[in-house]
mmCIF file with all atom_site columns, all heavy atoms in Angstrom:
data_model
loop_
_atom_site.group_PDB
_atom_site.id
_atom_site.type_symbol
_atom_site.label_atom_id
_atom_site.label_alt_id
_atom_site.label_comp_id
_atom_site.label_asym_id
_atom_site.label_entity_id
_atom_site.label_seq_id
_atom_site.pdbx_PDB_ins_code
_atom_site.Cartn_x
_atom_site.Cartn_y
_atom_site.Cartn_z
_atom_site.occupancy
_atom_site.B_iso_or_equiv
_atom_site.pdbx_formal_charge
_atom_site.auth_seq_id
_atom_site.auth_comp_id
_atom_site.auth_asym_id
_atom_site.auth_atom_id
_atom_site.pdbx_PDB_model_num
ATOM 1  N N   . ALA A 1 6  ? 18.870 22.808 -48.193 1.00 67.00 ? 12 ALA A N   1
ATOM 2  C CA  . ALA A 1 6  ? 17.589 23.513 -48.105 1.00 67.00 ? 12 ALA A CA  1
ATOM 3  C C   . ALA A 1 6  ? 17.052 23.419 -46.679 1.00 67.00 ? 12 ALA A C   1
ATOM 4  O O   . ALA A 1 6  ? 17.238 22.428 -45.982 1.00 67.00 ? 12 ALA A O   1
ATOM 5  C CB  . ALA A 1 6  ? 16.592 22.900 -49.079 1.00 67.00 ? 12 ALA A CB  1
ATOM 6  N N   . MET A 1 7  ? 16.357 24.513 -46.222 1.00 60.00 ? 13 MET A N   1
ATOM 7  C CA  . MET A 1 7  ? 15.766 24.530 -44.888 1.00 60.00 ? 13 MET A CA  1
ATOM 8  C C   . MET A 1 7  ? 14.476 23.728 -44.876 1.00 60.00 ? 13 MET A C   1
ATOM 9  O O   . MET A 1 7  ? 13.794 23.628 -45.879 1.00 60.00 ? 13 MET A O   1
ATOM 10 C CB  . MET A 1 7  ? 15.450 25.968 -44.460 1.00 60.00 ? 13 MET A CB  1
ATOM 11 C CG  . MET A 1 7  ? 16.651 26.720 -44.009 1.00 60.00 ? 13 MET A CG  1
ATOM 12 S SD  . MET A 1 7  ? 16.292 28.384 -43.423 1.00 60.00 ? 13 MET A SD  1
ATOM 13 C CE  . MET A 1 7  ? 15.059 28.155 -42.211 1.00 60.00 ? 13 MET A CE  1
ATOM 14 N N   . ALA A 1 8  ? 14.149 23.244 -43.706 1.00 58.00 ? 14 ALA A N   1
ATOM 15 C CA  . ALA A 1 8  ? 12.898 22.514 -43.558 1.00 58.00 ? 14 ALA A CA  1
ATOM 16 C C   . ALA A 1 8  ? 11.752 23.503 -43.621 1.00 58.00 ? 14 ALA A C   1
ATOM 17 O O   . ALA A 1 8  ? 11.856 24.652 -43.191 1.00 58.00 ? 14 ALA A O   1
ATOM 18 C CB  . ALA A 1 8  ? 12.871 21.771 -42.235 1.00 58.00 ? 14 ALA A CB  1
ATOM 19 N N   . ALA A 1 9  ? 10.633 23.083 -44.140 1.00 63.00 ? 15 ALA A N   1
ATOM 20 C CA  . ALA A 1 9  ? 9.479  23.958 -44.298 1.00 63.00 ? 15 ALA A CA  1
ATOM 21 C C   . ALA A 1 9  ? 8.867  24.326 -42.939 1.00 63.00 ? 15 ALA A C   1
ATOM 22 O O   . ALA A 1 9  ? 8.422  25.454 -42.738 1.00 63.00 ? 15 ALA A O   1
ATOM 23 C CB  . ALA A 1 9  ? 8.433  23.286 -45.181 1.00 63.00 ? 15 ALA A CB  1
ATOM 24 N N   . SER A 1 10 ? 8.848  23.416 -41.993 1.00 65.00 ? 16 SER A N   1
ATOM 25 C CA  . SER A 1 10 ? 8.287  23.709 -40.675 1.00 65.00 ? 16 SER A CA  1
ATOM 26 C C   . SER A 1 10 ? 9.140  23.020 -39.614 1.00 65.00 ? 16 SER A C   1
ATOM 27 O O   . SER A 1 10 ? 9.733  21.982 -39.865 1.00 65.00 ? 16 SER A O   1
ATOM 28 C CB  . SER A 1 10 ? 6.836  23.246 -40.584 1.00 65.00 ? 16 SER A CB  1
ATOM 29 O OG  . SER A 1 10 ? 6.794  21.833 -40.637 1.00 65.00 ? 16 SER A OG  1
ATOM 30 N N   . VAL A 1 11 ? 9.156  23.636 -38.459 1.00 56.00 ? 17 VAL A N   1
ATOM 31 C CA  . VAL A 1 11 ? 9.927  23.068 -37.353 1.00 56.00 ? 17 VAL A CA  1
ATOM 32 C C   . VAL A 1 11 ? 8.933  22.635 -36.286 1.00 56.00 ? 17 VAL A C   1
ATOM 33 O O   . VAL A 1 11 ? 8.144  23.435 -35.800 1.00 56.00 ? 17 VAL A O   1
ATOM 34 C CB  . VAL A 1 11 ? 10.906 24.118 -36.771 1.00 56.00 ? 17 VAL A CB  1
ATOM 35 C CG1 . VAL A 1 11 ? 11.646 23.548 -35.580 1.00 56.00 ? 17 VAL A CG1 1
ATOM 36 C CG2 . VAL A 1 11 ? 11.862 24.582 -37.843 1.00 56.00 ? 17 VAL A CG2 1
ATOM 37 N N   . GLU A 1 12 ? 8.981  21.378 -35.926 1.00 63.00 ? 18 GLU A N   1
ATOM 38 C CA  . GLU A 1 12 ? 8.089  20.870 -34.903 1.00 63.00 ? 18 GLU A CA  1
ATOM 39 C C   . GLU A 1 12 ? 8.838  20.828 -33.583 1.00 63.00 ? 18 GLU A C   1
ATOM 40 O O   . GLU A 1 12 ? 10.010 20.456 -33.536 1.00 63.00 ? 18 GLU A O   1
ATOM 41 C CB  . GLU A 1 12 ? 7.605  19.472 -35.277 1.00 63.00 ? 18 GLU A CB  1
ATOM 42 C CG  . GLU A 1 12 ? 6.760  19.453 -36.532 1.00 63.00 ? 18 GLU A CG  1
ATOM 43 C CD  . GLU A 1 12 ? 6.322  18.049 -36.881 1.00 63.00 ? 18 GLU A CD  1
ATOM 44 O OE1 . GLU A 1 12 ? 6.314  17.182 -35.981 1.00 63.00 ? 18 GLU A OE1 1
ATOM 45 O OE2 . GLU A 1 12 ? 6.001  17.818 -38.034 1.00 63.00 ? 18 GLU A OE2 1
#
Side-chain angles (χ1 to χ4, degrees):
M13 282 183 54
S16 67
V17 177
E18 295 179 21

